[in-house]
Amino acid sequence: MTAPVRKGRLLTDASRLRRLTVHGWFLVMIAALTVLTAVCAVTGAVMIDRTSSLSDQLTTRISPAAIEASQMQKALIDQETGVRGFLLTGREEFLQPYAEGLAAERRSRAQVAADIADRPGLLRELNTISAKAAAWRSEYAEPMTAERRDGGTVPAAAVEAGKRAFDEIRVLLERQNSRLAQLRVTSRDELSQAERVRNWAFLAMLVLFPLAMVGMAVLLRRAIGRPLDQLRIASREIAAGDFERVIPARGPADIREVAEDVDLMRVRIVQALGDSHRQQVQLREQAADLDAQAVELRRSNAELEQFAYVASHDLQEPLRKVATFCQLLEKRYGEVLDERGKQYIRFAVDGATRMQVLINDLLRFSRVGRVYDDREPVDLGESLEKVIDDLSAPIEESGASFERPDKLPTIVGDPTMLRLLWQNLISNAIKFHDPARAPLIRIGCEPDEDGWKFSVSDNGIGVEPEFADKIFVIFQRLHSREQYSGTGIGLAMCKKIVENHGGRIWLDTGYTGGARLCFTLPASTVPARSGTEHEGSSS
């Protein structure tokens, strides 16, 4: 494998490790611990099984086979001894060891064959011994014993041949016993070796398992604990005011994400602090500008108050003189003046009077929200009653009647301005009535999402929808002075009063049969007496 390939694989492995989260690291550690435990368990099981197998083989097969082989050898020797004794003496009791040895040989041979069944070499030798023993019995032992039993004499050559045949069996038996003994020694050595390997394996597991646990703990500490400590230390330094401290993004993926998010929060806090500092500087500058403007406004208000004083006294004084002297002129020299001269005098008096009214209306308009700005609970029902009393003369003259709720709410506002609001709206309803019928003025009140909604409706001449905005502009008139008197300030003043109290006013363009002006006023914290649309007429 070339160096670039190895380097690429290392980078790939490192990238995979960097993508691991804390949960992933714990899963990896648990998997590694599980694999290690499984390997140790399998190794221990294999070692135990190996030693158990060798021990069982030695104790239940090899050692019994060696013992039974010795018993088989003894049984064959007993057979040969019995035959030899019978041939020498001819006595039948010497054949008893032969018969017993034959039975013992068969038992031992079967047991040895069962014990060495998995060892073909030893089994072949056992079969060879059994075959030669059977041949010795059939060719020598049984014929010679039969001949001796019949009273004959067994030739010495036959006896010698039988002896040589049995010596071959004896050699095979010695070799088999030697091989079984060697197998027994080898099995013992293998068992001892397996036990040593098993003991070393268990010792290695006892040492390796704690070392693996320590290694995993160190790895978790380096992979998870240390990045968390760095994140905690950096966060505390930032909390202490070191906002330039960069939070390191190390460790598992989720810890790096947390560190990056916290560092992003730090950057945004730094930006917010910078913006806040700049805003504070800007606010201080604006406060200084506002202070300067407040000083200028106070100076301007003082000048405006001075102008109001001049307008209410100094400007009106010449107008009063003009009107007074014109009236005196008409009274003293009226006899010598013709009708046109008298008309000119009336024009002068009327102009001076209208000029006084206009100046007074302008003064009231300029004082809305500036001079008249007291805030106190105002019972709108009582305020409306006072206005109706003040307008009793034009009401009686026009024959106007009212429909209004029994109760109107209490709001926080300026009592003078709210009274002026009712006065202008009702005065307009009386002024612009239909000559063919007596004025009918309806006062409405209902709760609104922003407070209270009021309406003043009449059955007068009405207002065209295209003039819905124009009627609230100062000095804007829809009729000539010859038709309807006035200065064109009334509804503009109503709009200023309503807006100064946080409401709005508009013309209901969908209303027919007259005009309906609606306005809203915010509800106050003072418990208001809720007004319902209860109608009751009063003249």
Side-chain angles (χ1 to χ4, degrees), residues 253-272:
D254 47 358
I255 295 180
R256 291 200 310 274
E257 290 178 0
V258 171
E260 291 171 356
D261 292 341
V262 174
D263 193 64
L264 179 60
M265 180 177 64
R266 176 192 66 82
V267 172
R268 291 182 176 176
I269 289 175
V270 171
Q271 293 176 351

Side-chain angles (χ1 to χ4, degrees), residues 302-358:
E303 293 178 353
L304 190 59
E305 287 295 331
Q306 183 65 27
F307 170 75
Y309 177 81
V310 171
S312 61
H313 294 83
D314 297 348
L315 291 181
Q316 292 195 45
E317 181 62 25
L319 292 176
R320 283 193 294 269
K321 285 185 178 181
V322 170
T324 300
F325 280 102
C326 286
Q327 291 172 353
L328 289 175
L329 182 63
E330 181 182 12
K331 183 178 180 180
R332 181 169 296 184
Y333 300 102
E335 297 177 356
V336 297
L337 294 175
D338 57 6
E339 188 61 31
R340 178 165 294 183
K342 293 179 181 180
Q343 185 180 12
Y344 290 162
I345 291 175
R346 286 195 297 271
F347 285 162
V349 172
D350 180 66
T353 303
R354 285 191 290 107
M355 187 64 181
Q356 286 180 321
V357 173
L358 180 60

Side-chain angles (χ1 to χ4, degrees), residues 307-317 319-320 351-368 370 372 416-417 420 423-424 474-475 486-490 493:
F307 170 75
Y309 177 81
V310 171
S312 61
H313 294 83
D314 297 348
L315 291 181
Q316 292 195 45
E317 181 62 25
L319 292 176
R320 283 193 294 269
T353 303
R354 285 191 290 107
M355 187 64 181
Q356 286 180 321
V357 173
L358 180 60
I359 290 173
N360 290 329
D361 289 345
L362 281 174
L363 285 173
R364 283 195 296 270
F365 184 80
S366 66
R367 288 171 177 172
V368 173
R370 183 176 57 84
Y372 303 113
T416 303
M417 290 295 99
L420 187 59
Q423 181 175 335
N424 285 332
I474 190 171
F475 298 136
T487 59
I489 297 178
M493 186 178 298

Side-chain angles (χ1 to χ4, degrees), residues 454-470:
F454 302 91
S455 63
V456 178
S457 308
D458 61 53
N459 60 347
I461 61 175
V463 180
E464 295 298 328
E466 59 265 26
F467 302 120
D469 295 328
K470 184 178 180 181

Side-chain angles (χ1 to χ4, degrees), residues 404-431:
R404 48 166 292 188
D406 291 338
K407 294 181 181 179
L408 290 176
T410 297
I411 68 167
V412 173
D414 183 272
T416 303
M417 290 295 99
L418 292 174
R419 186 173 174 181
L420 187 59
L421 172 65
W422 285 124
Q423 181 175 335
N424 285 332
L425 293 176
I426 294 175
S427 297
N428 277 358
I430 296 173
K431 181 192 301 183

